[in-house]
Amino acid sequence: KAADKLRLKMYRLYSYARRQYDMEMSNPKFNQMKGEIQALFVDASQQLAFMNDDLLKMDEKTLMGYFDKEKGLASYKFGIEQLLRSKKHMLPLAEEQLLSLTGLYSSNVSEAATILNDVDIPAPTVTLTDGTQVELNYANYYKYRASKVPGDRAIAFRSYWKNHKKYENTLAVLFDAGMKMDLFNARARKFASCLQARLFQDNIDTTVYYNLINEVKNNLPSLHKYLKLKQKMLSLPTLKYEDLWASAVKSVTKLYPYNEAKDIVMKSLEVMGPEYQDGLKQAFNNGWIDVYPNKDKESGAYSDALYDVHPYIKMNYDGEYSNVSTLTHELGHAMHSWLTNKNQHFNNSNYTTFLAEIASTFNENLLMEYLLKNETDDNLKLFIIDQFLERARQTIYRQTLFAEFELAMHQQVEKGQTLTAEWLNNKYLDLTRTYYGHDKGVTLVDDFIEVEWSKIPHFFYNFYVFQYSTGFVSSMALSENVISGKTGAVDKYLGMLKAGNSDYSIKLLQNAGVDMTTSDPYK
């Protein structure tokens, strides 16, 4: 209880500093606060390391016997079972304390890559097809890669990545260091591979990862069929990689005022029942959401929860359909946290990333279903379907491509090799051409795409991206159960959200109705 109290206090301090910083990034005071509390986390981790060491030295039968004698320990049982499962991968106390000190610098490599990518690489100036000159920073690249003008898409892609290629060797060194940090941690804890080390904590067998790659690649014909249709709708003689982000349908100018978006989200989620609706009302009415863009406010959106307060949602709402989708996405995370926190003890109140992306994309699926039933404008319906199919392409296929590339990077350093720009370029280009059907005449993937790996920050997150794919596939299966009115589907799904971290992810998902160890959800 003392350790819980300490951790909760530190989470409160970090949450305060982080929320303030994200609202006012130009204020150095909040960044300093954030750094101070991160250092405190490392210090606390060191000083609390003796607890696991003491527990692991105890006789296992005696230790587990305490749970029969003292009912107040019940909420700690799963955590102790996890610790005992980890016994062969734990180090003596002095070594654990030394290993925890790597937290002081473990994020520096990824931060250096981010600063290089987002700040230090100078943006080129390009001339668009109409003669307009623009500075091709990432925001403009992101904008013009989706342009309705094929020539502008080509200019944005080619100029951006040819400029990026100048820094490929520095970025390769950073990627090499990032993968080798994962290798250091895996070998220090006596795991057979980096992948096994990462999945062990969630008790996920490595076959789940390989199953994802195999099943998605077995279903590449579905992607290729979609891309052929997209080429036809875009009236292109050849579909090129730089055409993939262009919308295949007419742009829809409809804007959704925030109050209308709230109403749509509430109605689309009515099927989830009164408890879920109550949580949504609290989020909208009790100040959980910072809605609009503001000076010095961080871009993008997220949801983050504080156990004994409530979830916080950061939006930069602008009224576009994509922002309505983002709103319900972040509310999915928030309701997951809210239901978990209501039903679980603090030390079981978190949930794994493997489950996190299910709750968010589940809501997006119900939003699409609601709008397709209730909208009368066929162009808008077509736009919504197009947006959904693009999300499927990017979440299932693109993220699985990333997952296979990340696995290859780790396997390369496991063999004692160094990640060079040449190796990274060749591997990435080969995989991209395989997934997008370059040799089958589906999509032309030019050589300059080879350096796209250098801009993906998630590769530093230690096997994170595969969970976008598994989460999307799982949420599709679960939302289909709810939409079709399958008996008990809502209650089973809510049971998973309420369970938090009280059991292993695969088991909680199986209880909800989806088994990702099989091929069924993919099919």
Side-chain angles (χ1 to χ4, degrees):
K1 282 183 175 179
D4 287 344
K5 188 176 178 182
L6 172 64
R7 289 190 184 101
L8 192 50
K9 189 166 189 175
M10 289 196 298
Y11 286 136
R12 275 176 167 265
L13 290 167
Y14 178 77
S15 185
Y16 175 80
R18 173 74 195 273
R19 301 290 86 75
Q20 296 290 344
Y21 174 74
D22 292 347
M23 295 301 116
E24 195 181 347
M25 294 179 72
S26 63
N27 191 330
K29 177 175 74 174
F30 300 129
N31 199 25
Q32 183 182 344
M33 285 181 179
K34 200 154 58 84
E36 287 174 2
I37 190 62
Q38 283 171 325
L40 273 176
F41 268 107
V42 173
D43 188 34
S45 175
Q46 257 194 298
Q47 294 195 45
L48 292 174
F50 77 92
M51 291 175 66
N52 286 347
D53 192 62
D54 282 358
L55 289 165
L56 289 171
K57 286 175 181 173
M58 291 177 66
D59 174 69
E60 191 171 320
K61 189 175 179 181
T62 304
L63 175 57
M64 298 311 292
Y66 287 131
F67 292 100
D68 297 324
K69 297 174 187 175
E70 175 53 69
K71 300 305 177 190
L73 287 171
S75 59
Y76 295 93
K77 188 173 183 179
F78 180 61
I80 298 297
E81 288 173 350
Q82 285 180 296
L83 178 67
L84 292 174
R85 193 175 67 87
S86 306
K87 191 170 185 175
K88 64 181 180 181
H89 300 293
M90 301 294 287
L91 305 175
L93 178 59
E95 293 175 35
E96 283 289 344
Q97 289 176 322
L98 188 62
L99 201 57
S100 70
L101 281 174
T102 61
L104 289 170
Y105 61 82
S106 58
S107 64
N108 287 16
V109 170
S110 64
E111 287 173 3
T114 299
I115 289 170
L116 180 59
N117 266 315
D118 296 347
V119 180
D120 288 347
I121 293 180
T125 298
V126 299
T127 304
L128 301 177
T129 52
D130 65 358
T132 305
Q133 285 197 326
V134 296
E135 183 185 84
L136 200 62
N137 52 33
Y138 188 70
N140 277 334
Y141 162 72
Y142 192 86
K143 174 183 176 181
Y144 288 107
R145 74 176 182 179
S147 172
K148 286 287 185 186
V149 182
D152 288 345
R153 296 198 294 266
I155 289 166
F157 256 91
R158 290 168 189 274
S159 303
Y160 190 84
W161 294 116
K162 284 179 180 178
N163 183 60
H164 230 70
K165 188 170 173 63
K166 299 171 188 174
Y167 304 88
E168 63 181 356
N169 292 313
T170 302
L171 285 159
V173 170
L174 293 170
F175 272 66
D176 184 61
M179 300 310 115
K180 284 176 178 171
M181 284 178 66
D182 293 341
L183 180 61
F184 165 77
N185 288 316
R187 290 197 173 157
R189 296 202 177 279
K190 305 178 183 71
F191 285 101
S193 68
C194 296
L195 180 63
Q196 186 195 42
R198 166 62 185 85
L199 299 187
F200 180 84
Q201 58 190 287
D202 295 340
N203 201 23
I204 298 172
D205 193 273
T206 55
T207 54
V208 171
Y209 198 99
Y210 288 103
N211 190 38
L212 166 71
I213 293 171
N214 291 335
E215 290 295 337
V216 169
K217 290 182 87 169
N218 286 341
N219 285 281
L220 284 177
S222 296
L223 172 64
H224 297 166
K225 181 182 177 183
Y226 162 64
L227 294 174
K228 284 288 189 185
L229 177 61
K230 184 161 189 164
Q231 177 189 347
K232 183 179 178 182
M233 292 179 74
L234 287 168
S235 301
L236 294 171
T238 302
L239 183 71
K240 299 178 181 178
Y241 190 78
E242 56 259 45
D243 297 318
L244 294 178
W245 279 264
S247 175
V249 302
K250 281 199 304 183
S251 295
V252 174
T253 55
K254 179 170 180 176
L255 293 177
Y256 297 85
Y258 184 61
N259 283 336
E260 184 182 346
K262 288 198 296 186
D263 186 54
I264 289 170
V265 168
M266 291 289 291
K267 286 177 179 173
S268 71
L269 295 169
E270 276 180 357
V271 68
M272 298 310 298
E275 185 178 17
Y276 200 94
Q277 286 282 306
D278 179 53
L280 294 173
K281 288 173 186 173
Q282 289 192 47
F284 285 130
N285 300 331
N286 296 350
W288 294 12
I289 308 172
D290 192 287
V291 181
Y292 298 108
N294 209 342
K295 185 177 183 293
D296 294 337
K297 180 180 175 181
E298 185 188 54
S299 61
Y302 66 65
S303 172
D304 199 10
L306 192 56
Y307 180 73
D308 58 346
V309 185
H310 58 69
Y312 290 87
I313 295 175
K314 184 197 71 178
M315 289 289 297
N316 279 279
Y317 191 81
D318 65 3
E320 297 278 356
Y321 168 74
S322 62
N323 268 242
V324 183
S325 186
T326 300
L327 179 63
T328 199
H329 177 106
E330 298 306 339
L331 281 164
H333 288 309
M335 291 303 99
H336 194 175
S337 299
W338 181 70
L339 288 166
T340 290
N341 293 353
K342 275 187 17 169
N343 290 278
Q344 296 297 330
H345 183 275
F346 168 63
N347 63 300
N348 288 330
S349 65
N350 209 339
Y351 45 81
T352 64
T353 310
F354 189 78
L355 295 181
E357 292 303 326
I358 296 174
S360 53
T361 53
F362 177 94
N363 280 15
E364 291 185 63
N365 298 340
L366 292 189
L367 173 70
M368 180 188 72
E369 189 72 17
Y370 173 82
L371 289 173
L372 290 179
K373 279 184 178 176
N374 291 279
E375 282 288 353
T376 54
D377 184 341
D378 282 348
N379 284 333
L380 182 56
K381 286 184 178 183
L382 196 59
F383 175 77
I384 290 166
I385 292 169
D386 179 61
Q387 293 279 299
F388 179 80
L389 290 173
E390 259 307 286
R391 188 156 62 88
R393 174 186 74 82
Q394 293 189 44
T395 310
I396 299 176
Y397 290 100
R398 183 169 163 84
Q399 297 298 335
T400 302
L401 187 163
F402 288 170
E404 187 170 357
F405 181 69
E406 185 175 5
L407 180 64
M409 284 194 289
H410 282 94
Q411 289 175 336
Q412 184 76 348
V413 298
E414 285 167 1
K415 291 188 289 189
Q417 301 297 311
T418 295
L419 298 181
T420 63
E422 181 184 22
W423 185 90
L424 290 161
N425 289 345
N426 289 339
K427 188 66 184 177
Y428 189 83
L429 187 62
D430 179 58
L431 284 173
T432 305
R433 284 177 167 168
T434 298
Y435 274 74
Y436 286 98
H438 175 82
D439 294 336
K440 295 180 177 179
V442 179
T443 312
L444 177 64
V445 181
D446 276 311
D447 290 350
F448 64 84
I449 298 302
E450 65 182 3
V451 77
E452 192 180 36
W453 57 266
S454 63
K455 183 66 180 173
I456 314 298
H458 294 74
F459 288 145
F460 291 102
Y461 300 172
N462 193 12
F463 293 107
Y464 187 98
V465 295
F466 87 99
Q467 296 160 121
Y468 285 123
S469 303
T470 55
F472 189 89
V473 171
S474 299
S475 75
M476 282 296 296
L478 289 167
S479 59
E480 184 62 32
N481 288 345
V482 169
I483 290 163
S484 64
K486 191 171 182 179
T487 304
V490 171
D491 288 339
K492 284 181 179 180
Y493 175 67
L494 291 177
M496 183 188 82
L497 300 188
K498 292 174 181 179
N501 205 27
S502 61
D503 209 336
Y504 293 113
S505 303
I506 288 287
K507 186 177 176 184
L508 292 174
L509 188 52
Q510 287 169 338
N511 292 343
V514 175
D515 188 354
M516 291 303 288
T517 65
T518 70
S519 60
D520 291 345
Y522 297 98
K523 287 176 180 169

